[in-house]
Amino acid sequence: MSKRELYIFNPDNDLALANGEANYMPPASAQQMASDLALLPAWYAAPGSAVLAPSAYNLVFLREMQRLLPIPVDLMTAPELASDGQFTPVPWGWNPALRKKLLLAGVEEDGLPSLGHIAELRRLSHRMQVVELLSRLQLNEYFCGESHYLTRPEEWQSFVEEHKSSLLKAPLSGSGKGLNWCKGMFTSSISGWCKRIAALQGGIMAEPVYDKVIDFAMEFCSDGLGKVRFVGYSVFATNRSGAYEGNVLQSDEQTRRELSAYVPGESTLRLQSVLEEELSLRFGRHYAGYLGVDMMLCRFPGSAPEFRIHPCVEINLRMNMGVVAHMLYDRYVAPSSCGRFSITYHPAPHEALKDHERMRSEYPLEIENDKIVSGYLPLVPVHRWTSYGALVKIERIS
């Protein structure tokens, strides 16, 4: 008898992996996000699986959603972990702290990845992978991008001062974290930041800032046996600091049409094919699961071609919001509709609940044939103390 999959939302994974310690304690904000969005995997989990979440609020909410849409998953609470050994954990991502947490909760060690395997995932998650892969993705004149791994103070200073705008990154960090935006001056603050990061991780990543038109990604899935296959596109938005805000919900065909208005479609298809080969070679036998390659469509005014694709801004060797959005669209949005999937943050009590009630009133939900045609739908429970939320807002295509 095969074991059921148990999905776990641990959004602190990148931070925990960067830290590398089994006793890592995530910041309060990450703990709050994990709690508020614990039920999010219900929307992308495999049929017949379960989601790890506290029963309070979540079970009532899940049952309510299951009356609206076909969501074939169950809820499992932490106390049930030890008593029910018939499952395989499927977290957002693996790190030593999560492994220890599951062991302490009573999960059998033979159902968990070894510390050696997690160490290999940490090595493969290093942004040095971007530097190495990016050079192999400059397929023709419609591609751009450069990234450097710098280890010496004089290199950091030279790079910042030689570029009007540049971005420094920690080699291992969370999405939207470990970033330092520079404006051509190597200040004492930037110098201190570089020294701290290099002391922990050996060096820093450095890249120019581009004139970005669209943030998008190609999403893939690795079978762990050597084959990585293309899953689809995601078009997403970030805030000014680079943190994720949400995804467009639309078909891959629509995304291809939008990109082809700037860059020939055959170049994008060739990139997809080359990435399948390159990712298979790099990750195919070391990682099983979803991964995403973040990209940008960039503008070069006065140059030819004016628009080019930066084909490898980040590699996310884990589940990611782009895959969530892609599955949400395929499973639950009517083909005649499009919309947006958003992660929200409300720092003050009651704010999220007020916003939820307003959205529900202004954008009534319309469902036909088990698909959302239009309206607002929260994807996780919303109550007085909610800080983080996940929602979709759908509209008919006119």
Side-chain angles (χ1 to χ4, degrees), residues 50-290:
V51 176
L52 183 65
S55 61
Y57 299 110
N58 287 302
L59 184 58
V60 173
F61 180 84
L62 179 60
R63 295 291 180 259
E64 179 185 348
M65 292 299 104
Q66 288 172 330
R67 286 193 288 271
L68 296 173
L69 294 164
I71 307 173
V73 301
D74 297 319
L75 185 144
M76 178 177 286
T77 63
E80 294 174 296
L81 282 175
S83 59
D84 183 355
Q86 299 303 309
F87 61 84
T88 301
V90 183
W92 192 255
W94 281 110
N95 60 76
L98 176 64
R99 184 181 186 277
K100 180 178 179 180
K101 181 180 179 181
L102 291 175
L103 279 172
L104 292 174
V107 178
E108 296 291 335
E109 189 167 12
D110 61 4
L112 302 174
S114 68
L115 287 174
H117 179 71
I118 294 176
E120 178 67 0
L121 291 181
R122 187 177 191 271
R123 183 187 72 80
L124 294 172
S125 298
H126 194 285
R127 283 184 166 126
M128 190 64 198
Q129 297 289 336
V130 171
V131 176
E132 295 173 359
L133 186 56
L134 186 54
S135 64
R136 302 182 65 83
L137 300 178
Q138 305 301 318
L139 306 180
N140 57 37
E141 68 273 22
Y142 289 102
F143 296 91
C144 66
E146 61 180 88
S147 181
H148 307 274
Y149 180 57
L150 308 177
T151 59
R152 301 194 305 272
E154 58 269 27
E155 292 178 318
W156 310 333
Q157 182 169 352
S158 295
F159 189 90
V160 170
E161 292 178 348
E162 289 169 4
H163 293 83
K164 184 178 179 181
S165 296
S166 60
L167 176 59
L168 307 180
K169 299 178 177 179
L172 287 159
S173 66
S175 179
K177 306 289 186 182
L179 307 181
N180 200 323
W181 301 85
C182 306
K183 294 292 184 181
M185 302 226 3
F186 193 69
T187 64
S188 59
S189 174
I190 294 172
S191 175
W193 182 88
C194 289
K195 289 176 181 176
R196 288 192 299 273
I197 296 299
L200 291 170
Q201 300 186 18
I204 62 163
M205 314 305 299
E207 57 193 52
V209 172
Y210 296 89
D211 184 2
K212 181 175 64 179
V213 180
I214 299 173
D215 273 316
F216 71 104
M218 289 187 184
E219 310 294 351
F220 300 86
C221 188
S222 173
D223 63 6
L225 302 174
K227 180 65 175 176
V228 174
R229 63 176 177 84
F230 176 71
V231 171
Y233 290 91
S234 74
V235 178
F236 62 95
T238 58
N239 62 22
R240 294 182 65 181
S241 66
Y244 173 85
E245 288 188 329
N247 262 86
V248 175
L249 297 175
Q250 64 184 21
S251 67
D252 286 339
E253 291 72 22
Q254 177 62 27
T255 300
R256 289 192 187 98
R257 282 197 296 270
E258 291 178 2
L259 292 173
S260 65
Y262 301 93
V263 172
E266 56 266 27
S267 290
T268 308
L269 287 173
R270 186 180 171 206
L271 173 62
Q272 174 187 318
S273 176
V274 170
L275 269 171
E276 281 188 325
E277 295 174 6
E278 291 288 343
L279 296 173
S280 294
L281 289 171
R282 291 174 181 273
F283 307 121
R285 293 191 179 279
H286 305 284
Y287 171 76
Y290 289 99

Side-chain angles (χ1 to χ4, degrees), residues 17 299 361 373:
L17 199 61
R299 185 170 182 255
S361 174
V373 175

